[in-house]
Amino acid sequence: MNAEPSLDNTFRLVNPQRDAERRWVHTALAKLQQESARSADTHLLKLNFPGFHGIDFYFKDEASHPTGSLKHRLARSLFLYALCNGRLRDGQTVVDASSGSTAISEAWFARMLGLPFIAVMPASTAPGKIRDVQALGGECDLVDDPAQVHARAAQHAARGACHLDQFGLAERATDWRGNNNIAESIIGQLALEEEPEPEWIVCGAGTGGTSATIGRYLRYRRLHSRLCVAEPAGSGFVHGWRTRDPRAVASQPTLIEGIGRPRVEPGFLFDVVDRVVEVPDSASIAAAWLLEELLGRRYGGSSGTNFVACLQLAASMRVRGERGSIVSLLCDRGERYAQTLFDPSWLAAYGIDTAPWDAALRASLASGTTPVATRPAA
């Protein structure tokens, strides 16, 4: 039973239960602030390729976050948003729908705050991601039909869980004007480079929050840089952006986790995106393998998707005789995909042949042309 409020000697309305809740929220916010202060910024790696003279490539290594992906920033923002809006209480279960990386980051923050966490995930999620969530104390509620993850998360919320709702709240939970968001970090790290304003920034679209943050920030700072969203072929966002239809759905599935949504999510902002590049899954996977060779570390499939888009943009710049720089994101650790994207037997089971795209990507780096895969004659 709730304690009755009373008046103390200073005529302040006192409610012991509300005061205890406020103290817990203040403690939780302090822990999040301390964690942020302990976290260093992620590295911006630079590469140059023989075929693209005068064009610098930068890769923002978001996999170096404590939880191994760019979703570390989002998870912190979602917890802050829930706390400051009065939606999250001491001891309350936290739930979200996620294909893995966001769930891992959310499980990490939930453990830090001493809260139970449930990740609603497609049953097809990479086993490494499921293990990472469980290792952090989270529970994985696996759903056979990926289209039902939102409904299942809503069921948990109806039973009292706090739904962080990355797909519905990502674009508003992140402070796009600054506060060390990813766009501010990129522009700050480029300040001393030869080309401090990149021609393009390339990212994927999962929740839509990252593209919304970058696009808004570029406009807010009045920068000439343009935003390209790199997406698996036939994704919901591809069709939605072309037609400006928020009801658009995907025309084909994808093996690239975290992006290539089956529908246009609420956080997608069509008008801050300057270009969308469609990338076949086999090209994304070949590019992820190539990135390991170039950088000495594995990254996930969405990083490969971004890399292919970067090469297409650079080839167009070269044709026009333009110089400048392109920035992309390395989204998450490739070790999580050891049993999927980096397993030849898994690729064979899905009919993925990366050899033609590997050859095309290497030719692009050498010649500065758009990567185009050709299959040998039968």
Side-chain angles (χ1 to χ4, degrees):
M1 183 175 180
N2 292 345
E4 289 293 327
S6 61
L7 293 175
D8 65 7
N9 293 334
T10 61
F11 299 99
R12 181 175 65 88
L13 190 65
V14 176
N15 184 320
Q17 180 175 328
R18 290 294 299 273
D19 284 353
E21 291 174 354
R22 187 180 295 270
R23 285 194 298 272
W24 181 82
V25 169
H26 287 181
T27 299
L29 290 170
K31 288 180 179 179
L32 292 174
Q33 187 175 16
Q34 290 164 353
E35 185 277 336
S36 179
R38 291 193 299 268
S39 298
D41 202 353
T42 58
H43 301 295
L44 191 62
L45 311 176
K46 182 181 179 182
L47 289 178
N48 293 99
F49 302 114
F52 295 105
H53 178 71
I55 300 175
D56 298 322
F57 293 77
Y58 295 90
F59 299 88
K60 181 74 165 160
D61 189 3
E62 291 292 283
S64 61
H65 279 296
T67 55
S69 81
L70 81 166
K71 299 299 185 179
H72 192 85
R73 298 177 191 266
L74 173 60
R76 185 195 295 125
S77 295
L78 288 169
F79 273 96
L80 285 170
Y81 192 78
L83 287 164
C84 292
N85 280 278
R87 298 176 51 240
L88 182 57
R89 304 182 305 276
D90 186 12
Q92 187 177 12
T93 297
V94 179
V95 67
D96 209 354
S98 168
S99 64
S101 289
T102 302
I104 294 167
S105 297
E106 289 172 337
W108 192 84
F109 281 103
R111 186 181 67 173
M112 187 178 75
L113 298 179
L115 300 172
F117 175 71
I118 300 173
V120 181
M121 312 169 78
S124 59
T125 299
K129 290 184 176 182
I130 295 172
R131 288 194 299 269
D132 284 351
V133 171
Q134 294 171 336
L136 290 166
E139 174 188 342
C140 295
D141 183 0
L142 302 180
V143 180
D144 290 330
D145 182 1
Q148 296 302 311
V149 293
H150 297 285
R152 184 70 66 84
Q155 291 174 11
H156 287 287
R159 293 193 289 267
C162 176
H163 186 191
L164 293 179
D165 194 9
Q166 63 159 328
F167 291 102
L169 299 176
E171 57 88 16
R172 70 187 72 172
T174 301
D175 184 356
W176 52 269
R177 296 175 186 85
N179 190 28
N180 194 36
N181 70 47
I182 192 168
E184 181 186 46
S185 177
I186 289 170
I187 298 303
Q189 289 177 313
L190 287 171
L192 300 181
E193 299 298 305
E194 184 177 350
E195 300 288 346
E197 289 188 28
E199 292 298 316
W200 289 97
I201 297 180
V202 179
C203 70
T207 64
T210 300
S211 59
T213 297
I214 295 174
R216 285 166 163 169
Y217 186 80
L218 294 177
R219 292 181 174 219
Y220 177 64
R221 287 287 307 275
R222 304 185 300 280
L223 302 175
H224 80 273
S225 305
R226 290 167 290 174
L227 173 63
C228 172
V229 166
E231 276 286 276
S235 78
F237 185 65
V238 165
H239 297 302
W241 183 79
R242 286 176 176 166
T243 62
R244 297 301 194 270
D245 181 4
R247 300 165 299 178
V249 297
S251 56
Q252 63 187 74
T254 179
L255 297 174
I256 308 303
E257 294 183 20
I259 58 175
R261 299 295 302 160
R263 69 181 194 186
V264 176
E265 301 294 345
F268 289 137
L269 298 183
F270 297 136
D271 294 329
V272 303
V273 176
D274 297 291
R275 183 170 173 179
V276 170
V277 171
E278 287 186 89
V279 180
D281 284 357
S282 53
S284 295
I285 296 169
W289 282 64
L290 182 56
L291 280 172
E292 179 182 12
E293 180 179 321
L294 295 171
L295 296 171
R297 184 178 178 184
R298 279 186 176 177
Y299 298 92
S302 58
S303 302
T305 308
N306 291 343
F307 187 28
V308 175
C310 288
L311 294 179
Q312 290 194 25
L313 294 170
S316 295
M317 288 174 60
R318 181 175 172 273
V319 168
R320 296 191 296 268
E322 297 174 354
R323 302 171 65 92
S325 61
I326 298 174
V327 180
S328 184
L329 306 183
L330 299 169
C331 305
D332 61 353
R333 297 171 184 167
E335 290 78 9
R336 293 171 178 169
Y337 306 94
Q339 295 173 267
T340 55
L341 304 183
F342 291 95
D343 180 357
S345 62
W346 186 90
L347 296 178
Y350 280 92
I352 299 295
D353 179 10
T354 60
W357 275 107
D358 178 73
L361 294 169
R362 294 177 187 278
S364 175
L365 298 184
S367 65
T369 55
T370 299
V372 178
T374 57
R375 293 188 177 275

